[in-house]
Amino acid sequence: MVGAGLGVWKLMRGVRQLELHRLILALIIFCLLSMAFLAYYVSNSPKIKEAPPLPFSDCGGGGGISPGASTGAAGAGPGVQRAPLFLPSRQGRLRQVKAVDNSRTQPVVLVFVESIYSQLGQEIVAILESSRFHYRTEIAPGKGDMPTLTEHNRGRYTLIIYENVLKYVNLDAWNRDLLDKYCAEYGVGVIGFFKANENSLLSAQLKGFPLFLHSHLGLRDYRINPNAPLLYITKPNQVEQGSLPGDDWTVFQSNHSTYEPVLLASTKSSEVLAHFGPSPLRALHATVVQDLGLHDGIQRVLFGNNLNYWLHKLVFVDAIAYLTGKRLCLSLDRHILVDVDDIFVGKEGTRMKVSDVEALLNTQNKLRALVPNFTFNLGFSGKFYHTGTDEEDRGDDMLLQHRMDFWWFPHMWSHMQPHLFHNVSVLAEQMRLNKIFAQEHGIPTDMGYAVAPHHSGVYPVHSQLYEAWKSVWGIKVTSTEEYPHLRPARYRRGFIHNGIQVLPRQTCGLFTHTIFYNEYPGGSKELDKSIRGGELFLTVLLNPISIFMTHLSNYGNDRLGLYTFESLVKFVQCWTNLKLQTLPPVQLAEKYFQIFPEERDPLWQNPCHDKRHKDIWSKEKTCDRLPKFLVIGPQKTGTTALHSFLSLHPAVTSSFPSTTTFEEIQFFSGANYDNGIDWYMDFFPFPSNVSTDFMFEKSANYFDTEVAPKRAAALLPRAKILAVFINPSDRAYSWYQHQRAHQDPAALNNTFHAVVTAGISAPRDLQALQRRCLHPGIYATHLERWLQHYQPSQLHIVDGALLRSNPALVMEGIQRFLGVTPLFNYTQALMYDDSKGFWCQRVEAGRAKCLGKSKGRKYPEMSSESRAFLAEYYREHNMELLHLLNRLGQPLPSWLRQELQSTSWS
């Protein structure tokens, strides 16, 4: 009985334990299901959307403040009255200031930096480059020679900038006197910066000046002096309220009438600093001062910090303009165009709804009151119309209802990248589908502007895109951020190709993923910083024309596109005198190339040297078809013979012949360059072995064509360069005889002596012939130009006289220079032809295969009179060549040694 009861008890306990396990398991399953359901709900339900940020409401607004949010004590929220700044008038003193006149100087800035890596030096250079001002940097000399400041009674520099003004004031007496005399005589101003460090004294007098510096200060509430003469872009009577960053500011103090404050601030401490003494403005201290030149005749602008603070950059630009007499200065006009790419392309939840379109129209109307003609420019790919939610599709419909209120431009129909299409007709068909969509929906199709998805095919150039654009849309203008490279943005430029004007495009910090203000990368303060004096503000400041790229998603959700540009426009108009306006793309392009005509011609780069470019370049193209070395000339020195000898080498391949210029492509030297690199590469085969095959081309007019070195180095920066030099007198005579053989009237009707001695009153055709005879023989000048773009180790000078007398020896040296393997035996490959008078290729049965009839012509010897004239004409030029070759470590050509010996030069 007891045993039976014990058995029942054990059975019941087991059942209860089993039920407990099942209960725990059920709870675990329930929790997992709850978590899964919650995750699904959170990921698929719409976000609780906060109110979009409000754009800056006035010149002192903090920006990005949500409704009802409190402003700090230092802020200037709605209803806070700005404190105007009134400084005593000093017009009587300003009338004594001499107008800046540095017209006898080159428009080049000389920048003395602490080192090539110094941050302030790089910021100075960045502003100069962004403004397209020419400059030269030098390491600031503590001692030693000052760079040459004059040339042919003209100043080489129109402005001097010192990264560290102490290097300027502490120059040794000789160099300081030299620089000051130069500045006074040529009307050259000086800009200097003083940035306090741990070794700086709290107070000190600037050596040689009636000016005191007080450092290591914390400052607040920055003000602009409206009486400062240098103000041009900067709008005075504004106060930047709040603390300035850091406690290492320097302020200037002087009782001399030559100093005019530009920027002033109060100390953070309420105590008046004793060493400033009594003054009606003792609460304000100058951090930037303008020296009017009343002390020593030299005008200067001195900064008590670096360029980190945005207002310093603005005043720095004005200082450059003032001290150069507006020679280095942009006008006050600024043109902006805001592109909204992919207006129908976007994931559900990121597209525009009816309320967003209403906000777009409302903001456009508000901006038109501030920026004449402001209009959002909408880019479309018709395939994606009505691919959002019902609410978003209604937003698409509303855009089309108001289609005439906007400007429109096409992308591709299906948003495909054009460089993936290798057939023009297929590419054009994609465009026609988009055009049909536009016509069916009443979208204007006559703007003459288009943008390729991801900038594909614009640069690097995909010629099929340009052809299709012109045939389908009649495109005249496009834009890209990729020319010549995406970064740094200040290098972006425009160009014209195949009749289409390509403008530089700018980013504004908004991308497809930046749709919420509070989720902006780095925090919303980063966006506001860009607008309020940061990168976006500087883009407008330093570029007369800016096309900004934005996306559909920037105008839904928090509408960051609207916030950004309304805030930017208001900030620019608060702090500057810039005149903002908008033009349609075709008119904008005309304006751009009026301002920058030098950018009309492109500079083709190697697509394989930029990963972004390679990604948007056709996979059917390869940089392996570009040559490894060039024979650059000059003409009539033996380059054709060198071309034929090189082509005998089994590892060396020449370009295919041209139907018009024979063995020469003449790409870098003339109109063929406009055809683009696709055209150029078609002259070369696909190499069978990239590492061992050496492709080359010979164009003898490259040597003395001014643009050729820059163009060649941009596309072929690693190429090796071969130049052939003979006696320049013989080269000149050979060219004259060449022109006679080609029935040039100027050569037929004039003796050689008459050609080379012709004066400036000679007929134009005679002067042209004279130039082609004499100019290429100024070897040192042309060689120096090539050395500006190529390293000396990439350059090999061929002795043309030795090439004619002993080609095998010359070709052995060339092979070693190029690194071609295996070494080819030219002694066996060449033979001398007595009838021709030069070396030719040895073929079967010991016969010679020589160049054509036009090579090796027999003509009379040059007259002794002409040779004597040319020997004198080239004497100095040959001396320059001697010094240059010695500097480069290149051996002297035999003809040059003979010239030196025969005329007793040493």
Side-chain angles (χ1 to χ4, degrees), residues 114-340:
E114 292 289 88
S115 76
I116 59 174
Y117 306 107
S118 59
Q119 180 182 349
L120 177 54
Q122 291 178 6
E123 290 178 346
I124 292 169
V125 166
I127 290 177
L128 295 175
E129 289 179 339
S130 298
S131 305
R132 295 169 170 82
F133 298 155
H134 297 291
Y135 68 93
R136 175 182 173 182
T137 57
E138 291 278 348
I139 305 299
K143 295 180 180 180
D145 292 336
M146 180 71 59
T148 303
L149 299 174
T150 61
E151 186 176 32
H152 306 306
N153 293 322
R154 284 185 62 83
R156 298 183 67 180
Y157 308 104
T158 194
L159 178 65
I160 311 293
I161 299 177
Y162 269 89
E163 177 188 354
N164 182 354
V165 73
L166 295 184
K167 288 292 180 72
Y168 169 56
V169 300
N170 291 323
L171 277 172
D172 61 83
W174 171 264
N175 281 317
R176 176 63 185 276
D177 186 56
L178 183 71
L179 182 58
D180 284 354
K181 284 182 177 178
Y182 171 78
C183 291
E185 180 178 352
Y186 289 92
V188 173
V190 177
I191 297 176
F193 295 85
F194 180 80
K195 181 71 164 67
N197 56 40
E198 61 274 9
N199 299 318
S200 301
L201 297 175
L202 293 179
S203 297
Q205 182 175 358
L206 196 62
K207 181 180 176 182
F209 294 92
L211 186 67
F212 290 86
L213 282 64
H214 306 286
S215 301
H216 297 291
L217 298 175
L219 301 177
R220 61 176 295 112
D221 300 340
Y222 229 164
R223 293 165 165 83
I224 301 169
N225 174 16
N227 292 323
L230 67 76
L231 298 183
Y232 175 57
I233 295 177
T234 308
K235 183 180 288 187
N237 284 328
Q238 295 297 336
V239 180
E240 177 76 329
Q241 296 184 345
S243 297
L244 302 185
D247 292 315
D248 54 356
W249 290 80
T250 295
V251 298
F252 301 97
Q253 179 192 19
S254 177
N255 291 323
H256 198 289
S257 60
T258 193
Y259 296 106
E260 180 75 22
V262 181
L263 296 181
L264 305 101
S266 306
T267 56
K268 288 182 181 178
S269 171
S270 59
E271 299 177 7
V272 177
L273 300 181
H275 51 250
F276 283 109
S279 167
L281 290 174
R282 65 181 184 176
L284 295 177
H285 311 296
T287 62
V288 178
V289 294
Q290 180 174 358
D291 182 346
L292 304 175
L294 303 180
H295 172 60
D296 58 4
I298 302 171
Q299 298 201 42
R300 305 174 180 86
V301 177
L302 304 178
F303 289 77
N305 210 302
N306 52 28
L307 286 174
N308 284 349
Y309 195 69
W310 72 270
L311 198 50
H312 279 201
K313 294 185 177 75
L314 182 56
V315 171
F316 178 62
V317 171
D318 275 353
I320 294 172
Y322 182 84
L323 292 177
T324 61
K326 300 279 178 68
R327 293 177 72 196
L328 299 183
C329 177
L330 296 173
S331 77
L332 293 176
D333 293 325
R334 294 293 185 275
H335 295 82
I336 60 173
L337 178 66
V338 179
D339 286 352
V340 185

Side-chain angles (χ1 to χ4, degrees), residues 625-682:
R625 294 182 71 185
L626 292 171
K628 289 185 177 179
F629 69 95
L630 302 174
V631 177
I632 62 172
Q635 292 168 309
K636 309 309 295 179
T637 59
T639 55
T640 302
L642 177 59
H643 175 274
S644 68
F645 296 161
L646 285 166
S647 299
L648 297 177
H649 197 295
V652 175
T653 304
S654 171
S655 57
F656 300 135
S658 165
T659 56
T660 56
T661 50
F662 309 105
E663 81 273 11
E664 298 192 352
I665 304 177
Q666 297 184 3
F667 178 65
F668 298 111
S669 55
N672 288 335
Y673 190 73
D674 296 334
N675 295 326
I677 64 172
D678 291 359
W679 180 89
Y680 183 57
M681 290 193 300
D682 283 343

Side-chain angles (χ1 to χ4, degrees), residues 741-777:
H742 285 80
Q743 303 301 303
D744 180 355
L748 294 173
N749 297 327
N750 294 277
T751 65
F752 179 61
H753 190 73
V755 171
V756 296
T757 59
I760 58 175
S761 61
R764 183 174 298 179
D765 61 340
L766 182 56
Q767 290 189 52
L769 176 59
Q770 181 191 62
R771 177 174 175 80
R772 291 308 304 153
C773 285
L774 299 179
H775 184 67

Side-chain angles (χ1 to χ4, degrees), residues 594-645:
Q594 285 174 8
I595 300 172
F596 304 116
E598 71 280 2
E599 293 184 20
R600 298 175 68 88
D601 296 326
L603 186 66
W604 306 127
Q605 316 273 325
N606 190 317
C608 298
H609 294 167
D610 185 321
K611 184 182 182 303
R612 287 179 60 93
H613 289 175
K614 197 170 182 181
D615 289 342
I616 54 174
W617 200 41
S618 171
K619 297 298 183 284
E620 292 190 356
K621 301 173 185 178
T622 171
C623 296
D624 297 337
R625 294 182 71 185
L626 292 171
K628 289 185 177 179
F629 69 95
L630 302 174
V631 177
I632 62 172
Q635 292 168 309
K636 309 309 295 179
T637 59
T639 55
T640 302
L642 177 59
H643 175 274
S644 68
F645 296 161

Side-chain angles (χ1 to χ4, degrees), residues 811-840:
M811 296 308 296
E812 182 179 346
I814 290 175
Q815 290 182 83
R816 296 187 186 281
F817 167 71
L818 295 174
V820 182
T821 55
L823 285 177
F824 185 65
N825 190 339
Y826 279 95
T827 302
Q828 296 179 356
L830 301 177
M831 64 179 294
Y832 188 79
D833 186 284
D834 292 321
S835 61
K836 278 283 189 179
F838 53 77
W839 291 80
C840 304

Side-chain angles (χ1 to χ4, degrees), residues 26-40:
L27 285 172
I28 292 174
I29 293 172
F30 175 77
C31 290
L32 291 174
L33 290 174
S34 299
M35 292 171 64
F37 176 77
L38 181 62
Y40 174 81

